[in-house]
Amino acid sequence: MGKLVADITMSLDGFITGPDDAPGRGLGERGEALHNWVMGGPWRYDQPRRFAPADVDRGVLQEAMGSTGAGIIGRTMFDVTGGWGGSPPGGPDARYFVLTHSVPTEWAGRRSPFTFVTDGIDSALAQARAVAGDKDVGIGGGANVIQQYLAARLIDELRLHLAPVLLGAGKRLFDHLGDQAIELEPTRVIESPHATHLVYTVRR
Amino acid sequence: MGKLVADITMSLDGFITGPDDAPGRGLGERGEALHNWVMGGPWRYDQPRRFAPADVDRGVLQEAMGSTGAGIIGRTMFDVTGGWGGSPPGGPDARYFVLTHSVPTEWAGRRSPFTFVTDGIDSALAQARAVAGDKDVGIGGGANVIQQYLAARLIDELRLHLAPVLLGAGKRLFDHLGDQAIELEPTRVIESPHATHLVYTVRR
């Protein structure tokens, strides 16, 4: 069985989106800066995009893709990305489990990389593990989903891509974690001009 | 003229204290974990302390001490530490400028490393620069003081000691920064089991 890994980009001030993220508005106001490391430099939603990560960042992406056998995401993330038009990151064989209270009607019964899970985080994890086999299960976000798995002490590893920006507002990754410390062990740091990639093992 | 540097320890979830920090309670509930890197491992206020940082962490402390010519701190930090009993970090020649609304009567007119500044952050910075000469001015905290200097775009460099713990509550370092992004350039990372030391230049 692989690890349960939360893998997400966070600004140095703790935000995983800028303010006002929503369908059609991606990561929100100023949120593009979070993904400079993915794109290879500054970019904007309203301008032609390039996908040209620096070698070090491309390596981080490829390694994650190679080690991850299934993904778990929240409904908001699914809606904001529009389900990536049916082609989420990870290639044609990628499988995602979407935590939601109700299955979106336009996707119900449709063949897609997405399985909608309405009976909670344990069920999503069990289904994702069954698909992932020996590979890791990756939680892509949003904050709320990662918080639920963290609070339940189910996450083995945090992979944070720390973007060198203070966004000032947005959705905080680490919030609502309850009144208890969670100890971590730093296991790896990979430096890039666009992000500092931090890997932590969650201590049990 | 040296740089204006904010130098502080932060948990991965963005807190520079645990909950309920106060005079006699140091960094608050669970806050000791922030300074494991300074002490060389887990420690508690209610048990005998050791000061035995790992070599890499000792190097970080010594380098900061060597490059800093004067410090700026807030009144809360001063009160919480009790003015370090008159012997703050930095040795016998260290000089600190304490931002406050009123000079604490028991310190007024007394010879000490502390100068109490009641006329704002620009005044404290000018006085600290005059003392520091070619060396850096270091802002030690608290959060409120760093936030004021950040919002005024006066800080040249952030030196964050990222403690491998999620505290869940406490005082957030990055808060109240206004609705504007502040771009950073990562310039250095130093890894230790007890903290990941991150240095950023603040872009202008």
Side-chain angles (χ1 to χ4, degrees):
Chain A
M1 193 171 82
K3 292 173 289 196
L4 180 61
V5 176
D7 187 319
I8 197 161
T9 302
M10 179 176 90
S11 67
L12 185 64
D13 54 346
F15 297 106
I16 60 161
T17 71
D20 301 320
D21 67 310
R25 292 204 298 273
L27 292 163
E29 288 279 323
R30 312 189 289 276
E32 291 98 331
L34 289 165
H35 280 183
N36 285 356
W37 74 274
V38 177
M39 305 302 261
W43 64 287
R44 293 180 49 93
Y45 284 110
D46 58 8
Q47 285 167 18
R49 307 187 193 186
R50 56 172 180 157
F51 173 78
D55 285 349
V56 57
D57 298 318
R58 187 185 295 268
V60 168
L61 287 167
Q62 286 174 338
E63 191 181 318
M65 218 166 277
S67 61
T68 306
I72 297 175
I73 61 172
R75 175 65 187 271
T76 304
M77 192 173 203
F78 177 83
D79 286 345
V80 164
T81 61
W84 291 277
S87 301
D93 296 328
R95 288 284 304 276
Y96 285 81
F97 295 84
V98 183
L99 278 161
T100 181
H101 293 290
S102 61
V103 179
T105 49
E106 67 276 27
W107 291 80
R110 182 171 148 191
R111 190 175 168 81
S112 86
F114 303 107
T115 302
F116 298 92
V117 180
T118 56
D119 53 351
I121 64 171
D122 291 325
S123 169
L125 179 55
Q127 294 182 61
R129 282 205 201 280
V131 165
D134 288 339
K135 289 193 166 186
D136 296 338
V137 172
I139 311 175
N144 173 275
V145 173
I146 292 176
Q147 287 160 18
Q148 288 183 58
Y149 281 102
L150 257 183
R153 299 292 180 123
L154 290 168
I155 293 181
D156 299 302
E157 187 171 289
L158 294 177
R159 281 191 217 139
L160 293 183
H161 314 284
L162 200 60
V165 64
L166 303 174
L167 287 177
K171 281 190 182 149
R172 283 195 191 277
L173 176 56
F174 296 117
D175 217 347
H176 316 296
L177 288 178
D179 201 28
Q180 213 182 344
I182 298 176
E183 293 185 8
L184 309 169
E185 183 185 345
T187 46
R188 205 165 158 205
V189 179
I190 300 167
E191 296 176 59
S192 141
H194 301 302
T196 308
H197 307 282
L198 305 171
V199 183
Y200 292 93
T201 298
V202 180
R203 289 184 194 267
R204 301 288 167 93
Chain B
M1 192 169 83
K3 292 173 288 196
L4 181 61
V5 176
D7 187 320
I8 197 160
T9 302
M10 180 175 90
S11 67
L12 186 64
D13 55 345
F15 297 106
I16 60 161
T17 71
D20 301 322
D21 67 310
R25 292 204 300 271
L27 291 164
E29 288 279 326
R30 314 188 288 275
E32 291 99 331
L34 289 164
H35 280 182
N36 285 357
W37 74 274
V38 176
M39 306 302 259
W43 64 288
R44 293 181 49 94
Y45 283 112
D46 58 9
Q47 286 166 15
R49 307 188 196 185
R50 57 174 180 157
F51 173 77
D55 285 348
V56 56
D57 297 318
R58 189 185 294 268
V60 168
L61 287 167
Q62 286 174 339
E63 190 182 319
M65 219 165 276
S67 61
T68 306
I72 297 175
I73 61 172
R75 176 64 187 273
T76 303
M77 191 173 202
F78 177 83
D79 287 345
V80 165
T81 62
W84 291 277
S87 300
D93 295 329
R95 288 283 305 277
Y96 284 82
F97 296 84
V98 184
L99 278 161
T100 180
H101 293 290
S102 60
V103 179
T105 48
E106 67 277 26
W107 290 81
R110 180 172 149 190
R111 190 176 168 79
S112 88
F114 303 106
T115 303
F116 298 92
V117 179
T118 57
D119 53 351
I121 63 171
D122 291 325
S123 170
L125 179 54
Q127 292 181 62
R129 283 206 200 280
V131 165
D134 287 340
K135 289 193 167 186
D136 296 338
V137 171
I139 311 176
N144 173 276
V145 173
I146 291 176
Q147 287 161 16
Q148 288 183 57
Y149 280 102
L150 257 184
R153 298 292 178 123
L154 290 168
I155 293 181
D156 299 303
E157 188 172 287
L158 295 177
R159 280 191 217 139
L160 294 184
H161 314 286
L162 201 60
V165 64
L166 303 175
L167 287 177
K171 282 190 182 150
R172 283 196 192 277
L173 176 56
F174 296 116
D175 216 345
H176 316 296
L177 287 178
D179 200 27
Q180 213 181 343
I182 298 177
E183 293 185 8
L184 309 169
E185 183 185 343
T187 47
R188 206 167 157 203
V189 178
I190 299 168
E191 295 176 61
S192 142
H194 302 302
T196 308
H197 307 282
L198 305 171
V199 183
Y200 291 94
T201 299
V202 181
R203 290 185 193 266
R204 301 289 167 92

